[in-house]
Amino acid sequence: MAAFAPVLTRIVGLADAHTLRVYTREGGYRALPMALRQAPAAIVEAVKASGLRGRGGAGFPCGMKWGFLSDPARNPKPRYLVCNADESEPGTFKDRVLLRDNPHLLIEGCAIASYALGVHDCFIYIRGEYAAEARILEAAIAEAKAAGHLGRDIHGSGFDLEIVVHRGAGAYICGEETALLESLEGKRGYPRIKPPFPAVVGLYGCPTVINNVETLCCVPPIVERGAEWFAAIGREKNTGPKLYCVSGHVARPGTYEAPLGITFRELLEEHCGGMRDGRRLKAVIPGGSSTPVLTADEVLDVKLDFDGLAAAGSMLGSAAVIVMDETTDMVRVAFNLIRFYHHESCGQCTPCREGCGWLEKILARFDAGRGRAGEIAQMLDICDNMAFKTICPLGEAARMPTESYLRKFAGEFEARIGAAAVKGN
Amino acid sequence: MVAEAIQREIDAIVARYPDPRSALLPILHRLQREEGWLSPTAQAWAAERLGLSPAMVQGVATFYTMYNTRPVGRHLIQLCRTLSCELRGSLEIRAALKARLGIGPGETTADGRFTLVEVECLGACGTAPAMMVGEDYYENLTPAGLDAILAALP
């Protein structure tokens, strides 16, 4: 296989990479005029043929999602494109690199997608904490507009598009697409019951497509270099370049671009410089904190893509790889994460709201060495009562990993009961 | 009372959206920038501006963690406590902040200069541990490096 050259992060690290000048100098904004000369349907077909799967977590085929937008002949309402830049899953920081160092790639992706979908108003919903990135994005949009890449009659095509950057205000749940829409409408970020799906009833009750930052950034290269080129990267059903964001106990944490489907071993050794301080690997969260943990034995040769990780009993999610060495206390990890989910539960559904709260209480006791006999089984029972019983996947995001820690590191949890008995608690 | 210049900025924000209500989050961000928090008066003004009930605005203001519904110190320090930061030493940073400022999470220094809170994931996991002061990120924190950061703040 030919050596892989970065696609999404190609210009990252160059001086002033975020400016129109550098983006254009490095070959940017070539795909947009190419797209505007094609029929919108041809672009949707190219994205389908590329095999691009959504990079936000679920891995749903992007072209198919675009194809679900209701037919304008039957539904004459305006249609919207919303870019999900809410990036809040613990371990995930990949989109920040694109927002900060390659905003024009995202803008070009939004413009092409909007043209393909018949959208004239696109919103980029960015997490509120990314204030600096929001300012960079707004400046880039102003530059793009002044250069005729946005606004009215783009490149003489008759196509009009405005992009608005919308800042969230600190709520993990707003990364869930229907909660994001509620938030964008000026409300609390409460997830909506699906169906109807956003493609039919989305923003302001109109047909809406919601795509992750990285997904939209894949669109210009697909238009420019072709669906076949994109599909040749990675492997079948897991195509294209991918940003892996690695944190925890590695020598060099950071965001690394590689073809989908590299093994964890390659990521760790070739990109991250191995484990920090030469310690031994204990466990890995492969796709963000909501994905089940894998032990060192399980993870080394797993292909880090949608199907490889599903086969290993976990998920690619947002490709947020959290690496833990032998010094890591898995009871503490489980407690830290459930505290996160309890804090971030929107509170609509009882199984999630109460389940996360109960798990946090019990795990706090285990963390303090005061676990009680029978409570491991009780926690598994609580998880069971949270499974598939909530409007949105936050309940799943909380209980799936918790179960995985309880089962794969049962000994550490049991030891906390023993410790409590020794202390006489 | 909201100054006229800010009202004009807010008019421009409202005009960006097909439905004015979408402007609520940006309006609250803008109002908070003035005093560091959203007073009941500010919330009532936002409600009036968008034709919403004050309860609706309060419901939104209290749902999102970035809106302060109580006054905070001149510098709001938000220390990330989520997993990637904890794996790389956020507990040590918390202890160091406590030693230097004399306050724990949720507290404000007596001179009103600093408020310290712990927050969930800041999305800076690759440069952990991380914190925000106001709207600025500080990453790859070390206990020793904190002094220079704190001293540089007005």
Side-chain angles (χ1 to χ4, degrees):
Chain A
M1 197 172 80
F4 173 75
V7 178
L8 307 173
T9 56
R10 194 170 55 85
I11 69 168
V12 169
L14 297 181
D16 298 327
H18 62 286
T19 60
L20 179 69
R21 179 177 59 81
V22 173
Y23 182 70
T24 309
R25 185 191 74 201
E26 298 297 323
Y29 287 114
R30 279 205 293 243
L32 177 60
M34 286 169 74
L36 293 171
R37 286 194 294 271
Q38 298 174 41
I43 296 162
V44 177
E45 285 311 310
V47 170
K48 279 184 187 167
S50 74
L52 171 63
R53 293 172 70 172
R55 303 305 200 222
F60 193 80
C62 178
M64 195 187 288
K65 189 188 238 187
W66 289 9
F68 287 156
L69 265 191
S70 52
D71 182 356
R74 286 196 301 179
N75 187 348
K77 287 180 179 174
R79 15 179 69 201
Y80 296 105
L81 173 67
V82 178
C83 169
N84 186 342
D86 190 62
E87 186 156 81
S88 306
E89 168 94 355
T92 312
F93 50 97
K94 66 188 179 69
D95 293 340
R96 190 170 170 220
V97 174
L98 297 170
L99 293 163
R100 198 169 38 187
D101 269 9
N102 210 353
H104 282 287
L105 179 63
L106 175 62
I107 292 165
E108 190 173 11
C110 288
I112 295 170
S114 295
Y115 172 71
L117 299 169
V119 164
H120 301 289
D121 286 295
C122 167
F123 296 91
I124 301 177
Y125 185 103
I126 184 169
R127 66 174 297 176
E129 291 87 348
Y130 284 0
E133 287 76 9
R135 283 193 289 271
I136 290 170
L137 207 46
E138 280 175 346
I141 288 169
E143 279 188 310
K145 197 168 177 179
H149 301 308
L150 296 175
R152 296 195 68 82
D153 190 22
I154 299 170
H155 296 302
S157 64
F159 175 62
D160 304 334
L161 177 67
E162 296 294 336
I163 300 180
V164 170
V165 178
H166 186 91
R167 281 179 66 198
Y172 166 74
I173 191 58
C174 292
E176 193 279 331
E177 60 181 13
T178 60
L180 186 154
L181 293 177
E182 288 285 299
S183 181
L184 185 47
E185 290 179 1
K187 305 171 201 162
R188 290 176 167 221
Y190 280 165
R192 299 175 181 170
I193 293 171
K194 295 190 280 192
F197 288 91
V200 182
V201 181
L203 186 63
Y204 310 127
C206 300
T208 302
V209 165
I210 303 161
N211 283 142
N212 178 254
V213 170
E214 189 185 350
T215 312
L216 288 164
C217 286
C218 288
V219 171
I222 290 171
V223 167
E224 192 182 340
R225 302 169 77 167
E228 281 176 23
W229 162 82
F230 190 90
I233 301 170
R235 62 177 179 136
E236 199 188 355
K237 293 185 180 158
N238 295 269
T239 60
K242 182 76 196 82
L243 297 185
Y244 294 94
C245 37
V246 191
S247 61
H249 296 147
V250 297
R252 288 195 304 267
T255 307
Y256 301 100
E257 186 175 353
L260 257 179
I262 62 164
T263 64
F264 173 75
R265 190 190 298 273
E266 288 172 82
L267 182 67
L268 177 67
E269 290 172 6
E270 290 170 29
H271 294 279
C272 303
M275 296 298 290
R276 187 174 67 162
D277 301 333
R279 291 218 175 91
R280 273 194 311 154
L281 176 68
K282 179 173 183 177
V284 176
I285 300 173
S289 64
S290 61
T291 61
V293 68
L294 297 175
T295 63
D297 293 340
E298 291 171 326
V299 76
L300 275 171
D301 295 304
V302 168
K303 285 187 188 305
L304 299 176
D305 61 25
F306 299 104
D307 297 332
L309 278 160
S314 191
M315 292 161 71
L316 179 69
S318 53
V321 185
I322 305 176
V323 180
M324 296 175 276
D325 71 19
E326 58 196 319
T327 66
T328 312
D329 171 352
M330 301 312 280
V331 175
R332 179 75 198 173
V333 170
F335 166 62
N336 181 300
L337 291 179
I338 204 67
R339 184 180 63 186
F340 171 86
Y341 287 103
H342 184 212
H343 183 268
E344 299 297 337
S345 171
C346 82
Q348 268 195 110
C349 310
T350 310
C352 171
R353 182 185 67 239
E354 299 300 320
C356 287
W358 294 339
L359 289 172
E360 184 191 339
K361 264 188 187 165
I362 300 171
L363 284 169
R365 250 197 329 270
F366 272 76
D367 181 50
R370 297 199 307 272
R372 297 173 192 158
E375 281 185 329
I376 294 175
Q378 190 183 9
M379 285 192 280
L380 289 169
D381 190 45
I382 292 168
C383 289
D384 192 43
N385 279 292
M386 292 166 72
F388 309 110
K389 293 179 183 69
T390 51
I391 292 173
C392 87
L394 194 138
E396 287 303 288
R399 73 95 196 161
M400 273 193 311
T402 306
E403 273 183 4
S404 73
Y405 299 107
L406 289 170
R407 293 191 195 283
K408 292 186 181 178
F409 299 96
E412 291 189 39
F413 289 87
E414 282 156 10
R416 296 303 172 91
I417 299 171
V422 171
K423 280 195 228 160
N425 290 336
Chain B
M1 195 51 218
V2 175
E4 262 184 49
I6 299 167
Q7 292 195 34
R8 278 197 298 275
E9 273 183 57
I10 285 172
D11 289 343
I13 292 170
V14 173
R16 296 203 300 242
Y17 298 95
D19 179 342
R21 182 172 180 167
S22 279
L24 181 55
L25 265 60
I27 288 176
L28 294 180
H29 277 304
R30 184 64 192 86
L31 294 175
Q32 179 162 289
R33 210 162 83 203
E34 292 311 298
E35 296 181 304
W37 71 297
L38 289 170
S39 64
T41 316
Q43 290 182 42
W45 187 90
E48 175 87 32
R49 175 66 183 79
L50 293 175
L52 301 170
S53 72
M56 194 68 89
V57 171
Q58 190 186 17
V60 168
T62 53
F63 183 81
Y64 297 94
T65 53
M66 288 180 76
Y67 297 130
N68 305 316
T69 48
R70 281 183 215 163
V72 294
R74 202 156 75 246
H75 301 292
L76 176 63
I77 301 178
Q78 303 185 67
L79 177 65
C80 180
R81 68 177 186 180
T82 313
L83 185 60
S84 297
C85 278
E86 188 169 302
L87 290 175
R88 290 187 82 95
S90 63
L91 293 176
E92 288 78 13
I93 301 300
R94 188 178 71 186
L97 281 169
K98 191 169 186 181
R100 282 162 177 77
L101 302 175
I103 52 171
E107 296 173 351
T108 301
T109 54
D111 61 1
R113 193 161 168 237
F114 295 107
T115 296
L116 174 63
V117 292
E118 283 187 293
V119 293
E120 299 301 346
C121 189
L122 287 178
C125 323
T127 42
M131 67 180 187
M132 283 179 86
V133 183
E135 288 200 332
D136 298 323
Y137 271 69
Y138 294 85
E139 296 159 75
N140 293 309
L141 295 172
T142 60
L146 278 178
D147 286 330
I149 293 170
L150 296 176
L153 297 168

